[in-house]
């Protein structure tokens, strides 16, 4: 079926081969997909299937061996990309607020303006009262809130999230998923997120790309046509459970 909207991002015939002693390790093989403007897309796949590699190519950190990543942003400017990893990687000598303002300080945005934007994000990600805390005193979930706010302060065209809640306990993880949903519903940034959680992917995304075992290729492009706005309680509805069953089958079909 022809895509009716101009995609925000197109990944075309992407191949990545890393040099190795055995002569080359193929991480991605012929990956094709698109992301529409303001879409939330998740990537699920086994460990080592090239999920992080895919995000690095899209962020422009890694060159494709073959194929290309095409953005349809208007003008000559390349898109602004925000990146959040499994570990928050915060600056321990800075407070919560100072960690969030850091990207703008690097761009020499006036400090009063940077602090104003950071304060709005503190509110949005639920860090109220922690602005002046030192980051080493934060729990894992709170640290990831800071990392998400720090990525959002640049008003990215694309937010890349690489297993952002992978290091958190199960309950905190569910809570963070619900909060990310709230943040996305408020900001509507285009998002590409790697996760291992079927329910997290379904709660958040419009589509789930299933990557096969290495070399990674898209084995399924799974549409999540659950109504929005969504609430965390959606996880327990019959429609959601049925989708989870079908997505699980799509993932397992590839590993059999
Ligand atoms: P995932 O995030 O899905 O677990 P990665 O994208 O991290 O997988 O890695 C995919 C494969 O590529 C793995 O086998 C990994 O060891 C290999 N790989 C990743 N980065 C490099 C690199 N810089 N040099 C060599 N091999 C790499
Ligand atoms: Mg990874």
């Amino acid at each position: 079926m022809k895509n009716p909207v101009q995609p925000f991002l197109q990944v075309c015939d992407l191949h990545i081969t890393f040099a190795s002693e055995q002569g080359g390790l193929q991480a991605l093989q012929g990956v094709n997909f698109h992301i529409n403007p303001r879409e939330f897309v998740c990537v699920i796949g086994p460990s080592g299937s090239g999920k992080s590699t895919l995000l690095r190519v899209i962020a422009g950190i890694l060159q494709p061996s073959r194929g290309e990543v095409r953005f349809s942003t208007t003008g000559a400017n390349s898109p602004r990309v925000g990146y959040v990893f499994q570990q928050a990687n915060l600056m321990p000598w800075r407070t919560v607020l100072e960690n969030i303002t850091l990207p703008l300080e690097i761009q020499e945005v006036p400090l009063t303006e940077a602090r104003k934007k950071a304060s709005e994000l503190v509110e949005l990600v639920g860090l109220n009262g922690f602005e002046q805390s030192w980051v080493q005193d934060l729990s894992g979930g709170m640290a990831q809130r800071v990392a998400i706010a720090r990525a959002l302060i640049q008003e990215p065209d694309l937010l890349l999230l690489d297993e952002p809640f992978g290091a958190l306990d199960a309950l905190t993880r569910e809570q963070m998923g619900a909060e990310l949903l709230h943040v996305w519903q408020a900001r509507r940034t285009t998002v590409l997120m790697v996760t291992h959680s079927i329910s997290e992917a379904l709660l958040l995304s419009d589509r789930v790309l299933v990557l096969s075992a290495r070399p990674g290729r898209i084995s399924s492009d799974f549409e999540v046509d659950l109504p929005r706005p969504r609430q965390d309680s959606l996880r327990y509805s019959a429609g959601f459970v049925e989708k989870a069953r079908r997505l699980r089958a799509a993932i397992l079909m590839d590993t059999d």
Side-chain angles (χ1 to χ4, degrees), residues 90-177:
L90 304 175
M91 302 293 171
W93 57 89
R94 289 184 152 233
T95 63
V96 164
L97 200 77
E98 288 167 349
N99 267 278
I100 301 173
T101 55
L102 184 63
L104 294 189
E105 286 176 50
I106 292 167
Q107 291 164 30
E108 298 182 9
V109 171
L111 208 52
T112 44
E113 190 186 325
R115 287 197 182 124
K116 186 167 168 287
K117 283 193 170 168
S119 300
E120 288 166 17
L121 287 165
V122 159
E123 181 84 32
L124 183 69
V125 302
L127 283 165
N128 308 59
F130 289 88
E131 293 88 337
Q132 302 310 324
S133 300
W134 295 106
V135 291
Q136 68 261 35
D137 299 332
L138 300 177
S139 66
M142 294 301 264
Q144 279 308 58
R145 286 187 168 92
V146 180
I148 290 169
R150 182 182 57 186
L152 286 173
I153 202 164
Q154 303 171 80
E155 295 174 13
D157 302 302
L158 175 65
L159 185 59
L160 298 173
L161 304 166
D162 195 350
E163 299 188 46
F165 311 136
L168 306 178
D169 66 82
L171 277 178
T172 310
R173 180 178 191 142
E174 276 204 8
Q175 192 188 353
M176 292 295 291

Side-chain angles (χ1 to χ4, degrees), residues 7 30 138 149 154 157 179 196 233 245 248:
L138 300 177
Q154 303 171 80
D157 302 302
E179 289 185 11
H196 282 294
S233 55
R245 195 188 61 73
R248 187 168 178 277

Side-chain angles (χ1 to χ4, degrees), residues 16-20 25-28 45-56 62 162-163 194 196 211 214:
I16 295 285
T17 305
F18 292 111
S20 78
L25 182 146
Q26 188 152 33
L28 294 172
S47 214
S49 59
K51 304 179 296 296
S52 298
T53 300
L54 178 63
L55 262 54
R56 281 161 58 211
L62 191 67
D162 195 350
E163 299 188 46
V194 175
H196 282 294
L211 266 192
R214 204 184 76 215

